[in-house]
Amino acid sequence: MPESEVIVVIGAGVIGLSTALSIQQTLGSTQSVLLVARDFPSDTSVNYASPWAGAHYRPVPGSSPQMLREANQAQRTYNYLKQVAAAEPAAGITFVQGVEHLEAPPPEYLDSQSVRNAYSHLDEFRSLASEEIPVGMRWGAEYGTYVINPPVYCAYMLRKFILKGGSTKKYVLENINEAFTLAGNVKTVVNCSGTGFEDPKSFIIRGQTCLVRNPVSATITRQYADGTWSFCIPRPLDGGTIIGGTRQPHDWDPNPSPEIRARLLTNAAKWFPFTPDSGGQFDVIRDIVGRRPAREGGMRIEVEQAGPGKNIVHAYGAGGRGFELSRGVAEDVTALMCETGLLPAQVKAAL
Ligand SMILES: Cc1cc2nc3c(=O)[nH]c(=O)nc-3n(C[C@H](O)[C@H](O)[C@H](O)COP(=O)(O)OP(=O)(O)OC[C@H]3O[C@@H](n4cnc5c(N)ncnc54)[C@H](O)[C@@H]3O)c2cc1C
């Protein structure tokens, strides 16, 4: 009888959960998946990025290898999340109108081919005419996009993983090689730990946002010439609205700054269409501070030999785009595992 094998996936953020589900669609008959993490969807920690995300999809035009790879992963994720939203409303994903206004668009936003490459897959995409763009802004677009309630979506994926036969273990790994010892016959460890294990290319990007009860019906992003943004993102299933946000590389401050909160809310009151009965006042639920797990050059997706018959498959460093890239990354990791013989070379049905 063939020996049973356990594949350990480290990390229960959006990347680990998406990857574990994708691997489950391709498992051999003697393989099973054990999800090991310090934090699971019911936990909150500044170092666990997923629950704190907006999370919406806003394409990023660009022609570097990283940008092109991400654009491909983001498009596949968009198509996948459209199917999930239609089939399973409890997953916490809704499609709404997305609006962008840029004060100083970089060259890639002024090149029509580059804009088409990044945006044309979006439902009802259109560039805004100059008279439709608010005063002071120079570029604008509208399209159909998704917004996600991250704690709900992550809990949904975890539930699905367990129902499909996956096991979980809450555990803090001191070293990635420890993962090979957490079950009998572990040949493959998939590293979806966000920041990796002491990778010198990894760094964090602090994000501060504010969750308010005031509803909005669209996600709107204003990007200013100094590189800062204002955005509002409705969270499906009555999850409130995220008002954002900051992007602060290498800033380890875990405390919300009252000055940042005041600036975010002042901008939001000026620009975003809250219902008239709010009187321009915000009903704040909480301040949010999270650390986006970024990596120079983008995500690391590759197989590393960890000794005879042992492999580590890396999938970390999603930065500020983990939800946007999640399904594309999960599919790429699964395909890589099939190519390298860590999974059978066959993919079963989607969803
Ligand atoms: C304020 C803010 C707004 C954002 N908005 C958006 C958005 O609109 N769209 C978007 O796509 N993204 C957004 N992001 C980014 C998104 O949240 C991240 O890209 C994503 O959550 C990264 O997912 P991950 O699974 O790689 O990492 P994480 O969610 O951080 O998960 C890492 C997992 O690894 C586990 N782990 C780590 N080390 C160990 C260890 N030693 N032992 C055991 N387990 C370990 C953790 O416990 C956790 O389960 C935002 C982030 C922030 C902070």
Side-chain angles (χ1 to χ4, degrees), residues 268-324:
K270 250 190 275 174
W271 300 115
F272 301 142
F274 290 98
T275 48
D277 56 304
S278 69
Q281 297 296 308
F282 289 99
D283 187 357
V284 173
I285 299 171
R286 61 167 297 158
D287 294 301
I288 284 176
V289 176
R291 294 177 179 145
R292 302 172 178 96
R295 184 171 179 273
E296 286 165 36
M299 283 194 81
R300 180 178 183 198
I301 300 181
E302 65 182 5
V303 178
E304 181 189 0
Q305 291 267 313
K310 297 205 184 306
N311 291 281
I312 300 173
V313 186
H314 296 286
Y316 64 87
R321 307 195 69 190
F323 284 81
E324 296 179 343

Side-chain angles (χ1 to χ4, degrees), residues 10-16 36-40 47-57 171-174 192-195 197 205 207-209 231 233 288-293 315-325:
I10 303 171
V14 67
I15 298 295
V36 175
R38 180 190 61 217
D39 309 284
F40 278 90
N47 293 317
Y48 180 33
S50 292
W52 307 127
H56 65 172
Y57 174 38
Y171 190 82
V172 182
L173 292 152
E174 294 299 326
C192 303
S193 61
T195 48
F197 283 76
I205 304 175
Q208 181 173 337
T209 60
F231 56 78
I233 307 174
I288 284 176
V289 176
R291 294 177 179 145
R292 302 172 178 96
Y316 64 87
R321 307 195 69 190
F323 284 81
E324 296 179 343
L325 308 182

